[in-house]
Amino acid sequence: MSRPSAPKRRRLSPPEDNAPTRDRRQSFLKNAAKWDLEQDYENRPRRLDKKKKKGENKLPVRTTEGWVAPPTAQVEIKSEDESDSFLASGSDGGAEDVDVEEEEKKPKIPARQQILEAKEELARIASLVNEDPEEHIGALKTLGAIAESENSTVKKLGLATSVTVFKDLIPGYRIRPMSEEAMGEKVSKEVKKLRQFEQKLVSGYETYVKQLAALCKASGSSDEQKASLATVAISCACNLLTAVPHFNFRGELLKIVVGKLSTRRVDGDFVRCREALEKLFEDDEDGNVSLETVTLLTKMMKAKHYNFDESVLNTFLHLRLLSEFHQKASYNSVDKDEDQVNGKKIKQKREFRTKRLRKELKEKKAIAKEMKEADAAVSREERDRMQAETLKMVFVCYFRILKARSPKLMGAVLEGLARYAHLINQDFFGDILEALRDIIATAELSAAADVSEDEDAESEDDDDEAPERNLSRESLLCVITAFALLEGQDVLKQASTLKLDLTFFIAHLYRTLHPVSVNADIELSSKSLHLPDPGAPETHQPASTNKINVQTTIVLLIRSLSSVLLPASALRGVPPIRVAAFTKQLMSISLQLPEKSCTAMLGLLNRVSKAHGKKVAPLWNTEERRGDGVFDALKPEFEGSNAFAATVWEGELLRKHYSPSVQEALKGIEGNVREALKG
């Protein structure tokens, strides 16, 4: 008989555990509605092994063989433990190895292909910005990124393209920075869009100008690549300075140009900067740009102790105030207009106007004022004020150089003072004439020292220590400047009261006639096209079309003699003894002058004999001799030379001169003398 199976026993949970399970289930159901499952999922930490690998979505590259898909960089992503392993060892060599592998696996594009792609990209950006500047103003950042390329050719293309883009984008006004209050104001969409465009334009332009300033520092470097980039940067800066001088960051561009002009090495970049300043001066209408530029130039000259190229100083002769400014000034003051008393205009006679007419005139003035502000026109008073300050700074610079006796700048300073003579007031005359006397006295002492050295036959080593100055040329320029200061001015009538005696300059000119006439380079200047001295050091002086301070010695001599013998109408009363002494000496030195110089000197004597015929006629006629004794040609003072005791016998030799032009010039002089004797 089978054994019956045991009854199954039901496994029961302990009764004490039922209550907590039920409570947890009820609390779960109650709080389920308050849960935010999406937020909990968002706050979960991401797994690092699911990151996308670098270079996975790169576009194909175009090469000479066609479009090629870029290779994907197989870089293992380490676990957290492996990535932090360098903390324990104290070295980061693993990370550097990964970077090196990434750089090695990047596709290398040929330089030529990079240039072609850069050209296409630059053309695309320029066309987009030109099409809609406000919409694509953000492309300036891309343009700046291209200009930062490691390829020097691409970098040059980016810099040059940026100049053209900025010249098209820059408006005709200066953009002021926006304050926080202005940014918080409620404006229309159009105004807001315009403000954003202007601020982005200024920001991009500032970055570009700073990049140019950094590149220009390598100008003249021995590294050809850096020097080439500096040349492009200087060209871009000069282009912007002359094209948009009114816009922001003009001072930074001026610092680039003035910094290059402070160097002693004259190269292509130097000439480009100098021409940019000359054009800037000529095109400046309000005088503000010229004042800022002259201020920077004078500071640079003082910092360099006036050791710079003289062509920089000649840029002052391109200022528009030479022809537009009509007041007189010195280095510390400016004369007021004649129609002003105590700084105020003299009131004119009041005209009778009806009430209706006064109201109409008032309305017209208000309209004219609004139109003037809208056109941003600079008033004549404001322009005169700017030009007056500029003129004072120019005179300060000239006077400091005169006091410093800078050897290579004296010619440029004297030429500049002669050109600015009509703008110099009476208070400045005495200081300038005193400085000119000191220069001439120094020249005479140096000439006497040279004569003594030649007599002692010293060694040739002393020639290298001598200053590089043409003292005879400087003395002639001093004479020209002294007479130019007085010609055509009201001070001529008050010369006696101001005690402006020019006898010192006249006597010096008389003493230098014989030494100058035997100068072998009398028809050459420092910038003439002639063969250089084989023993002189080579200097890089590019050909220049500048016609300032390039006159030859004979031209300066004739200009000086014209000022002394044929002055302005107010000083026509030239003493007869002066005319006779100079005429006799000039006929004597004409015998040893070259053909062209002799012809020019006889042409001057032709004008002298025509203007002072009766004063010089006794020199050709012995029967009308006024003086007794013997003429002393070596006398230092022309008053004691006894000129009327002399006879012009040089005409007999010049009549047999080989040059027909000299013979014709002599006939003109003798014809004037015969007419004077008949009269």
Side-chain angles (χ1 to χ4, degrees), residues 247-314:
F247 197 59
N248 304 48
F249 309 107
R250 177 181 63 208
E252 284 71 11
L253 294 175
L254 286 174
K255 289 179 182 178
I256 293 174
V257 175
V258 174
K260 180 58 183 176
L261 293 178
S262 64
T263 59
R264 298 290 299 274
R265 184 170 180 267
V266 180
D267 52 7
D269 296 342
F270 183 95
V271 174
R272 191 177 292 107
C273 291
R274 187 191 65 208
E275 292 176 351
L277 285 190
E278 293 174 356
K279 188 176 186 302
L280 190 68
F281 288 153
E282 293 171 355
D283 297 341
D284 184 23
E285 296 182 357
D286 56 358
N288 190 13
V289 180
S290 298
L291 177 59
E292 185 177 356
T293 307
V294 171
T295 303
L296 288 176
L297 283 174
T298 52
K299 288 182 180 179
M300 178 272 292
M301 294 172 183
K302 186 177 180 181
K304 289 289 183 179
H305 302 289
Y306 304 102
N307 293 321
F308 54 90
D309 192 76
E310 66 171 357
S311 61
V312 181
L313 197 63
N314 292 333

Side-chain angles (χ1 to χ4, degrees), residues 132-413:
D132 192 352
E134 296 183 0
E135 184 68 24
H136 301 96
I137 189 64
L140 294 179
K141 292 184 178 180
T142 308
L143 200 60
I146 296 176
E148 294 288 348
S149 174
E150 296 180 358
N151 191 324
S152 60
T153 305
V154 174
K155 199 168 190 175
K156 294 177 185 177
L157 291 173
L159 294 173
T161 307
S162 299
V163 172
T164 307
V165 171
F166 280 119
K167 285 169 63 177
D168 293 338
L169 292 181
I170 290 176
Y173 54 88
R174 190 182 184 91
I175 299 176
R176 60 182 178 85
M178 297 293 295
S179 61
E180 295 181 359
E181 298 178 357
M183 295 295 290
E185 294 178 354
K186 292 183 179 181
V187 294
S188 62
K189 292 183 179 180
E190 290 78 8
V191 175
K192 186 177 181 180
K193 187 176 181 181
L194 179 61
R195 286 182 176 179
Q196 292 178 353
F197 167 76
E198 291 178 345
Q199 297 305 316
K200 289 182 180 180
L201 175 61
V202 171
S203 177
Y205 189 68
E206 180 182 10
T207 305
Y208 179 68
V209 171
K210 289 181 179 179
Q211 184 183 9
L212 291 181
L215 291 174
C216 291
K217 293 180 181 179
S219 179
S221 175
S222 57
D223 190 349
E224 294 183 0
Q225 184 175 355
K226 292 183 178 179
S228 178
L229 285 172
T231 300
V232 175
I234 289 175
S235 178
C236 294
C238 294
N239 200 344
L240 286 175
L241 186 60
T242 54
V244 286
H246 63 278
F247 197 59
N248 304 48
F249 309 107
R250 177 181 63 208
E252 284 71 11
L253 294 175
L254 286 174
K255 289 179 182 178
I256 293 174
V257 175
V258 174
K260 180 58 183 176
L261 293 178
S262 64
T263 59
R264 298 290 299 274
R265 184 170 180 267
V266 180
D267 52 7
D269 296 342
F270 183 95
V271 174
R272 191 177 292 107
C273 291
R274 187 191 65 208
E275 292 176 351
L277 285 190
E278 293 174 356
K279 188 176 186 302
L280 190 68
F281 288 153
E282 293 171 355
D283 297 341
D284 184 23
E285 296 182 357
D286 56 358
N288 190 13
V289 180
S290 298
L291 177 59
E292 185 177 356
T293 307
V294 171
T295 303
L296 288 176
L297 283 174
T298 52
K299 288 182 180 179
M300 178 272 292
M301 294 172 183
K302 186 177 180 181
K304 289 289 183 179
H305 302 289
Y306 304 102
N307 293 321
F308 54 90
D309 192 76
E310 66 171 357
S311 61
V312 181
L313 197 63
N314 292 333
T315 56
F316 290 162
L317 303 182
H318 294 268
L319 290 168
R320 295 184 64 165
L321 60 88
L322 266 175
S323 58
E324 295 179 352
F325 195 64
H326 302 292
Q327 300 178 18
K328 299 183 184 299
S330 66
Y331 53 84
N332 56 5
S333 63
V334 179
D335 294 345
K336 298 177 181 178
D337 292 335
E338 297 179 356
D339 57 347
Q340 292 185 0
V341 177
N342 296 327
K344 297 181 179 179
K345 291 186 177 180
I346 301 175
K347 292 185 178 180
Q348 298 179 354
K349 188 177 179 180
R350 188 172 181 179
E351 299 179 2
F352 174 77
R353 297 188 181 95
T354 61
K355 186 177 181 180
R356 182 179 179 182
L357 184 58
R358 289 197 300 269
K359 185 178 179 181
E360 291 178 356
L361 290 176
K362 188 176 181 181
E363 293 177 354
K364 289 181 180 179
K365 288 182 179 179
I367 295 173
K369 185 178 180 181
E370 292 178 359
M371 294 294 293
K372 188 176 182 180
E373 292 177 354
D375 295 340
V378 181
S379 62
R380 180 177 176 273
E381 292 79 8
E382 182 69 15
R383 186 189 66 182
D384 290 346
R385 186 183 68 83
M386 293 288 184
Q387 291 182 347
E389 293 296 326
T390 305
L391 185 62
K392 286 196 297 184
M393 300 201 72
V394 171
F395 286 159
V396 166
C397 182
Y398 282 160
F399 196 68
R400 285 176 177 173
I401 296 175
L402 283 178
K403 291 294 185 181
R405 300 289 191 275
S406 182
K408 295 184 178 181
L409 300 178
M410 296 304 297
V413 170

